[in-house]
Structure formats: C-alpha cells, structure tokens
Amino acid sequence: MAKKTVLILLAAASLAAIVSTSLIAQQDPNKEELKLTLPKPMFIGTPRNIKTPNLEVVTGKPRGPFFVAKGTKLLSLKKPVTSSDMQPVIGELNFVVDAERSGEDGYFVELGPGKQWVQIDLGAPAGIGAILVWHYHSQARVYRDVVIQVSDDKDFLKGVITIYNNDHDNTSGLGIGKDKEYIETNEGRLIDAKGAKGRYVRLYSDGNTSNDMNHYVEVEVYGLPGK
C-alpha cells in the first residue's frame, strides 16, 4: 500500500476515534465542554518540511471540543513557577502563567539548551482534567522529548504520575513514551490529564527542531480544586 494512502487511512481512523469519544462525552451529564481562548495564528497552512521519527500525522483540521468534569476551573493562573533554569535567557518565569498567549516577541520565556523543566505550584492538591501548553507558535517547530508529570512532591521523587510523554527513545531518562511529537500552532497542545491528582505540574522538553533552546508562551492547568 502506498505511503500516502496509509497516512490518509491513519488520519481518518484518528479523526473517527476523536469524534466517537466526543459524542460519548457529550452524553455524560457530569461533563461540560472546556471553553478555551486561543491566540491569533502566526502562520498559515500545514507545514510539511519537518521530519522527525515520532511525528504525529498532520491533518490540518482544527481540534474538536474537549469535555471535562462540571465545575472544572483554570487553576494555574498567576501561580508560582520554578524551573531547572532559574535565570532564563529571555523573559521571566511568570510569563508561563500570566494568561498572555500571543506568539509575538515579548510573550515567551526562553530556557537554556538541553533538557529543562518548568514547574507550577497549584497551591493545593487538585484533580487535573486537562493541560494546555504553548511552547512557541510564531513558527512551525517540534519540541523534543515533551514529558508532563503531576505529583504532590515538589521534588518529584515520589508519587509521580506521567500524563504525557513523547520521548520515544528515552533521551530524557524519564522512560519511553508512547505519545507522538507534534507541530506547535496557535491551538497549543491540549492534554487529557484524566483526573490525575497532585499539587505540582512539571513540564520537560529538550530543545526543538529549530534550535537547542526551550520555550514556553503559556501553560494552563484545568481541574477541580481539592479533589
């Protein structure tokens, strides 16, 4: 079977699964659609010149609705942020949770090269329903080894729950992940946290397809406080 045909079939199967999941969620009286605010797009069209070994199929279609438990709130706004790089190259760590999602210069924080992380302290344990991440969306690029974890331990030495991991070859040493790499866009990456419980959220990356640096425009953590 031709490679192009295989890719089309995979994209169709993925879309069918998303539609099916959305229909089931819509019928659940305990759930509601998560309303998101997106920044304006910084580039048009579907990039086709990025080659990585673990990249998801690019459909060019907008993301469908996402449903969370009723009462879900944005928990991360203006909460304390720490990092493996406490002296960013560009910007400030509080940019990560300041509700500014623009892809223009002046709205992102740049961390040093190699594996780096940022960590958000929600202030209290919570049941996390979703995490929306924008690394950098003024141009098409893929961030390497994106791993997102939740824990009640600020040092992430115990009780660690991994909710996303696209490090397919364990470069980061956090285990082999089964999630796919993806191209950054103004939609950000919406991750289903499946109610993972914890006070702290830590996000790793290890450079990107344009350079070795690590960036964050915004991270939004949605959940049920005290759950």
Side-chain angles (χ1 to χ4, degrees), residues 110-173:
E110 180 178 85
L111 309 179
K115 186 174 90 172
Q116 300 284 358
W117 52 260
V118 295
Q119 181 171 311
I120 302 168
D121 179 1
L122 301 178
I128 300 171
I131 297 177
L132 181 57
V133 184
W134 291 270
H135 283 101
Y136 186 91
H137 61 91
S138 67
Q139 62 175 223
R141 60 174 62 172
V142 173
Y143 280 80
R144 309 286 195 193
D145 305 331
V146 174
V147 180
I148 303 177
Q149 297 179 327
V150 175
S151 179
D152 275 334
D153 177 14
K154 65 180 176 58
D155 296 319
F156 278 73
L157 297 177
K158 58 185 179 181
V160 177
I161 302 170
T162 299
I163 61 172
Y164 191 88
N165 184 348
N166 67 14
D167 180 7
H168 70 99
D169 56 3
N170 199 23
T171 303
S172 63

Side-chain angles (χ1 to χ4, degrees), residues 38-142:
L38 302 182
K40 68 178 182 180
M42 301 294 287
F43 58 88
I44 305 298
T46 303
R48 299 188 182 280
N49 59 346
I50 297 179
K51 304 293 184 184
T52 72
N54 190 35
L55 185 63
E56 68 182 4
V57 176
V58 179
T59 67
K61 298 181 181 298
R63 182 172 55 226
F66 185 82
F67 293 85
V68 293
K70 284 186 175 178
T72 293
K73 301 179 183 301
L74 175 61
L75 304 176
S76 53
L77 182 62
K78 300 189 185 304
K79 292 296 173 62
V81 178
T82 54
S83 173
S84 54
D85 183 356
M86 291 300 290
Q87 295 183 315
V89 180
I90 297 174
E92 304 292 339
L93 290 175
N94 60 12
F95 288 4
V96 176
V97 291
D98 65 355
E100 297 286 353
R101 309 169 185 87
S102 171
E104 299 174 342
D105 289 345
Y107 292 94
F108 65 87
V109 60
E110 180 178 85
L111 309 179
K115 186 174 90 172
Q116 300 284 358
W117 52 260
V118 295
Q119 181 171 311
I120 302 168
D121 179 1
L122 301 178
I128 300 171
I131 297 177
L132 181 57
V133 184
W134 291 270
H135 283 101
Y136 186 91
H137 61 91
S138 67
Q139 62 175 223
R141 60 174 62 172
V142 173

